[in-house]
Amino acid sequence: MHTRTEHAIPSTVDLAPALRTALEASPRVVVPATRAELYALALGPEGDPVFSVDYEALGETVTEATVTRCRNGIAVNYPDDYMRRRDPQCMHIADDRPTDKTRYADAFGESFNRVKQETLDWLGTQELVAVPFKAGALSFGSPSLAVMPLNAAFFALTLMDLQGWTTFDQIGPYSPRSILYVAPPFRQTHFDGKQVVVHDRSETLHEIFAYNLYPGPSAKKGVFSVLLDVGEQEGWITAHASSVRVTTPYDNETIIMHEGASGGGKSEMCQDLRRQDDGRILLGTDVVNGEPYYITLSESCELDPVTDDMTLCHPSVQTGDGRMVVADAEDGWFVRVDNLRQYGEDLYLERAVIHPEEPLVFFNIDGTPDATALPWEHTLDSTGAPCPNPRIVIPRSNIHRIVNEPEAVDVRTFGVRMPPCTRDIPTYGIMGMTHFVPPSIAWLWRLIAPRGDKNPSIGEAADAVDTFEHGGMVAEGVGSYWPFSTGTKVAAANLLLKQLLEFNHTRYVLTPNQHIGAYDVGFSAEWLTREWLARKGAGRMRATQLEPARCPLFGYAPKEITLDGQPVRRTLLRPETQSGVGIEAYDKGCAILTGFFKAELRQFLTEDLDPLGRRIIEVCMEDGTIEDYEALTPMYL
C-alpha cells in the first residue's frame, strides 16, 4: 500500500459554508503535494495493475471507469460506449443569469437546490481529493478549486495536467473564481445514465457540478465555460482554436490561428502533413473513379505550435498593431489520436507519448498492465470498431518545438468538415481548397460554425444523426465555442464582431477537410493551405490574384495555387469545374448551404444585436454578393 501525506485546504481559501461543511464531514480529504503523489492516488489504494472505479448506485455496484497501470502512464477506459465521448446536450444552467442554454429547472422540473445539496451531502460521506488550479492555465488563469471522490483521482490528475500544476501555497489566500465538483454515481441515481454537467453562476463564482467521469464536458470544456463567462464580463474572448508558427524553408514566419467546430482540424493544424512511403503527398482521391491525386513537396515548413484548442485573446497581451495576440489557455493538451493507426505516422507525437518525461493519462486507449500504451491501439467499442475518440493528455513541455510566448496572428483560418458532393448526390461539400473572405463573411461562418458529419469528438444526439444522414448540417454556433458558453448567443456574437473589427490587419481564410467536391482529401487541403499561406508571406495577396467564388459565402478563390513549381489542379480550387460535380450539383450544394445559414441566422436578429451585425445578416438573407459584404467590412490583403 502507498504511503501518502494528508494536507488540509488552508483556511485562507474562502469557501462557502456548505462546501466547508462537506469537507469537514468527509472521513478523509487528501490534498496532494506533488503530481507524483496524485498520480499514485490515481492507481487506487493498492497501486494494482488495474484499478476499478466503482460506486454504489441503485442497489448495485457500478463500474464507471477502469485505470490500467502502464509503463508510460495510465490508460483510462469506460465500460459504456456512451461515456467515451462528450454528449453535446450535457450542459444545464442552474442560475437565473442570462442564458440561451437549457435551464436545469426546465429540463428536470425543479430548481437545482435539492440536488446541489444532495451532491454536497454525498461528497461529505466520501474520501475526497481536493486540488487547486488556475482556470486558464498558470500565466493568466483564475484561482479555482476541484473536489471529487478519492477513487476518481485520475480525473483530478487530468485536470491538473490540462491546467498546470500549482499548490495552495503558490496561489496564496484567494476566493475561488470557479469550483468543480464531481459526483459520478448521480449519473445513475438522478440522471438516467446520461452525462449531465450543471453550471451555477454568480457574478464572482462559477460552480460546475460534473455527474460523470469523462473529462471532456467538465475538466476540459467546463473550464472553457468559466473562461468564456469571465471574458464576457470583461470584454474579451477565449477562442476555440489552435495556432501555430509556420516557418518556410526561407525562414519567413507566419502565425496561423485555426478555428472551427469540433472535428474542424484544430489539432491537425499543428501536425506535419502526411507523406506516402515515396515522399509524395496524397492531396485527394476521386470518390467517383478512385483516381488518386499526388503532389510533390521537396521541403515542408517547420511548425512551432502555440495553442491547441483553447486560445486566450487576453487584453493584457495585445500590442495595438492590428493583429490579435494569442496565448495558450492550457498547460496540457487533450490530443485526439484517431488518425494514428500505425507506427511512424507522427514521429514527434509518438515519441512524446511513448517516451514521456512523466507518465501520461490516456483515454480510450487499449492499455495492457505494465506494458507501453501505444497511441494507435484504440479501445474497441461494443460494435467491434475502434473508438473514434482516443485521447492523450500531453503537457505542453512534451510538445515538439512548443512556443511559450504569446504570438500575433497573421491569418485566421476556419475549417469545416465537408461530405462528398457528386452529380448524383449533391451536398454542401463544395468548398474549394482555399477561400479568402472579408471579416463580415468570416463572422457569419463563426456565428454558424457548421459541424459536419462523422465527427469523432462528440456523441451526436439522435436528431443530429438523422440530419447528417439526410445530407444536412448542425450548427455548433457562435465562434464554434458556443457549446461551452453559458451566456447568450447575441452577446457572444457582438463580442466576436467587435474582435474581428478591432484586429483589422488579419487575413481570413476558409479551408475544408475530408472532401472537396468529389475528392476525398482528409486534412491534406488544410495542410497544403498552411504551406501555401506561409510561402505567400503571411498570406499576402493582390486583388488581381483572386476571383469571386460561385457561392458568395465562400468569398474569393485564388486563381491559382503553386507549390514548389507545381500548380494545384483548378478543380480543387473551383469544385464546380470537377467532372464528377458540375455546375448543377454545385449550385444545389450552394442552395443547401445558403438556406442553412439563413435559417440559423434569424435567431440573431434581435434588438440587442450590433447594428453592423444586423446589416451583415441582412445581406445574407437577401442573397447579397461578395461586393455587398466587402462594402460593410473591407478585406485586408
Side-chain angles (χ1 to χ4, degrees):
M1 180 180 294
H2 295 286
T3 301
R4 304 184 182 97
T5 304
E6 307 287 318
H7 305 274
I9 298 177
S11 59
T12 54
V13 180
D14 183 20
L15 300 179
L19 174 55
R20 185 68 73 178
T21 298
L23 292 170
E24 291 172 353
S26 167
R28 182 185 181 204
V29 178
V30 178
V31 179
T34 64
R35 183 189 185 274
E37 186 179 336
L38 182 55
Y39 184 85
L41 287 167
L43 292 169
E46 305 299 330
D48 289 333
V50 179
F51 174 55
S52 183
V53 183
D54 297 336
Y55 299 95
E56 295 301 316
L58 304 178
E60 61 182 12
T61 300
V62 177
T63 299
E64 287 288 348
T66 60
V67 179
T68 301
R69 185 185 68 201
C70 299
R71 294 182 64 182
N72 52 334
I74 55 173
V76 180
N77 280 284
Y78 304 92
D80 187 349
D81 289 3
Y82 164 73
M83 287 301 301
R84 298 172 183 174
R85 295 194 283 180
R86 173 174 57 87
D87 186 332
Q89 297 180 324
C90 66
M91 177 184 284
H92 295 79
I93 308 300
D95 57 77
D96 295 325
R97 295 174 69 82
T99 186
D100 288 335
K101 291 298 178 64
T102 302
R103 293 192 184 272
Y104 184 94
D106 294 334
F108 299 105
E110 63 173 320
S111 77
F112 182 56
N113 292 341
R114 178 181 64 84
V115 174
K116 180 176 183 177
Q117 187 58 53
E118 289 177 1
T119 304
L120 292 169
D121 291 344
W122 180 82
L123 287 170
T125 67
Q126 303 296 303
E127 293 188 341
L128 302 175
V129 59
V131 290
F133 68 99
K134 299 188 77 173
L138 299 178
S139 297
F140 303 99
S142 301
S144 300
L145 177 70
V147 179
M148 64 203 69
L150 185 60
N151 70 343
F154 79 84
F155 193 99
L157 179 64
T158 301
L159 173 68
M160 297 299 282
D161 281 356
L162 289 172
Q163 293 303 308
W165 182 266
T166 190
T167 64
F168 288 112
D169 288 342
Q170 290 171 338
I171 296 177
Y174 74 100
S175 296
R177 184 59 183 83
S178 67
I179 302 177
L180 171 60
Y181 308 86
V182 183
F186 280 50
R187 181 171 81 92
Q188 308 290 346
T189 58
H190 290 67
F191 300 117
D192 196 28
K194 298 296 184 183
Q195 295 180 30
V196 171
V197 178
V198 181
H199 295 256
D200 195 359
R201 306 163 298 164
S202 70
E203 189 172 337
T204 58
L205 176 63
H206 189 134
E207 294 180 294
I208 305 167
F209 292 82
Y211 295 111
N212 66 86
L213 284 180
Y214 178 62
S218 47
K220 171 70 172 170
K221 300 305 186 184
V223 173
F224 202 162
S225 300
V226 172
L227 295 176
L228 292 170
D229 185 15
V230 172
E232 187 171 314
Q233 291 185 39
E234 299 179 358
W236 54 276
I237 288 172
T238 300
H240 192 204
S242 64
S243 54
V244 61
R245 183 169 66 203
V246 188
T247 305
T248 71
Y250 302 101
D251 291 331
N252 295 316
E253 293 182 353
T254 297
I255 306 298
I256 297 176
M257 172 172 150
H258 187 73
E259 298 159 88
S262 297
K266 291 180 292 298
S267 294
E268 286 77 10
M269 180 56 76
C270 296
Q271 295 175 4
D272 285 322
L273 49 78
R274 302 284 192 267
R275 294 180 182 269
Q276 304 296 298
D277 290 342
D278 60 5
R280 292 182 300 170
I281 298 162
L282 178 62
L283 177 48
T285 303
D286 192 317
V287 300
V288 176
N289 59 28
E291 176 194 358
Y293 171 34
Y294 298 98
I295 69 167
T296 301
L297 198 61
S298 59
E299 191 174 358
S300 55
C301 294
E302 293 180 342
L303 304 177
D304 301 324
V306 182
T307 69
D308 171 65
D309 180 67
M310 292 160 53
T311 300
L312 280 172
C313 313
H314 200 276
S316 67
V317 296
Q318 304 309 321
T319 62
D321 73 348
R323 296 179 300 162
M324 184 170 68
V325 179
V326 299
D328 207 335
E330 300 177 288
D331 200 61
W333 293 358
F334 198 46
V335 178
R336 192 180 68 244
V337 290
D338 62 307
N339 60 349
L340 288 185
R341 297 179 179 86
Q342 60 185 354
Y343 172 78
E345 293 187 327
D346 191 326
L347 294 179
Y348 293 120
L349 179 61
E350 292 166 24
R351 184 178 301 152
V353 303
I354 292 173
H355 304 291
E357 297 173 5
E358 291 187 290
L360 305 179
V361 185
F362 298 78
F363 290 91
N364 304 324
I365 294 291
D366 187 13
T368 300
D370 296 324
T372 300
L374 299 173
W376 51 82
E377 292 189 349
H378 307 154
T379 297
L380 299 182
D381 281 346
S382 59
T383 60
C387 174
N389 191 39
R391 297 273 184 169
I392 308 172
V393 183
I394 306 177
R396 294 183 89 253
S397 59
N398 285 22
I399 303 296
H400 182 64
R401 300 177 64 97
I402 192 71
V403 176
N404 291 313
E405 300 298 325
E407 291 281 1
V409 174
D410 299 300
V411 183
R412 289 176 70 167
T413 55
F414 192 89
V416 187
R417 294 180 76 88
M418 289 287 179
C421 174
T422 64
R423 291 180 183 273
D424 294 335
I425 308 176
T427 72
Y428 61 92
I430 55 170
M431 183 184 289
M433 175 172 155
T434 309
H435 288 284
F436 287 79
V437 296
S440 50
I441 294 180
W443 181 65
L444 292 182
W445 276 95
R446 285 161 177 78
L447 289 194
I448 304 299
R451 188 169 75 235
D453 59 351
K454 298 179 176 63
N455 188 305
S457 300
I458 60 176
E460 299 291 0
D463 56 347
V465 172
D466 184 66
T467 298
F468 291 141
E469 287 177 348
H470 292 85
M473 287 171 282
V474 172
E476 194 154 286
V478 180
S480 82
Y481 53 75
W482 176 246
F484 327 122
S485 173
T486 57
T488 67
K489 285 188 174 181
V490 170
N494 288 338
L495 192 56
L496 185 59
L497 181 59
K498 173 177 174 290
Q499 184 196 70
L500 267 62
L501 296 176
E502 178 181 357
F503 300 107
N504 54 10
H505 280 202
T506 305
R507 297 174 182 89
Y508 295 95
V509 170
L510 306 176
T511 184
N513 66 69
Q514 306 315 309
H515 297 91
I516 298 176
Y519 280 91
D520 181 347
V521 298
F523 289 98
S524 292
E526 176 182 317
W527 290 326
L528 291 173
T529 292
R530 178 188 66 199
E531 294 283 328
W532 181 68
L533 290 171
R535 284 167 165 79
K536 290 288 292 182
R540 293 184 184 90
M541 297 291 292
R542 295 191 301 273
T544 55
Q545 296 173 311
L546 300 172
E547 58 187 359
R550 186 173 179 86
C551 179
L553 289 173
F554 295 149
Y556 292 93
K559 291 180 180 178
E560 63 178 28
I561 288 180
T562 302
L563 288 163
D564 269 11
Q566 301 165 90
V568 172
R569 287 179 185 173
R570 181 171 170 78
T571 53
L572 273 294
L573 309 182
R574 301 296 299 261
E576 68 270 26
T577 64
Q578 295 178 21
S579 60
V581 180
I583 297 294
E584 183 179 354
Y586 181 98
D587 287 348
K588 288 180 179 178
C590 181
I592 293 171
L593 185 69
T594 304
F596 179 71
F597 267 58
K598 290 179 179 179
E600 290 292 329
L601 290 171
R602 289 192 185 97
Q603 63 188 303
F604 293 96
L605 294 174
T606 71
E607 59 184 22
D608 295 325
L609 183 66
D610 183 288
L612 175 59
R614 174 176 288 275
R615 293 199 294 275
I616 294 170
I617 290 176
E618 287 171 349
V619 169
C620 181
M621 294 296 189
E622 296 164 3
D623 295 316
T625 65
I626 178 59
E627 292 80 12
D628 295 329
Y629 288 108
E630 276 200 277
L632 294 175
T633 58
M635 188 165 66
Y636 176 72
L637 292 176

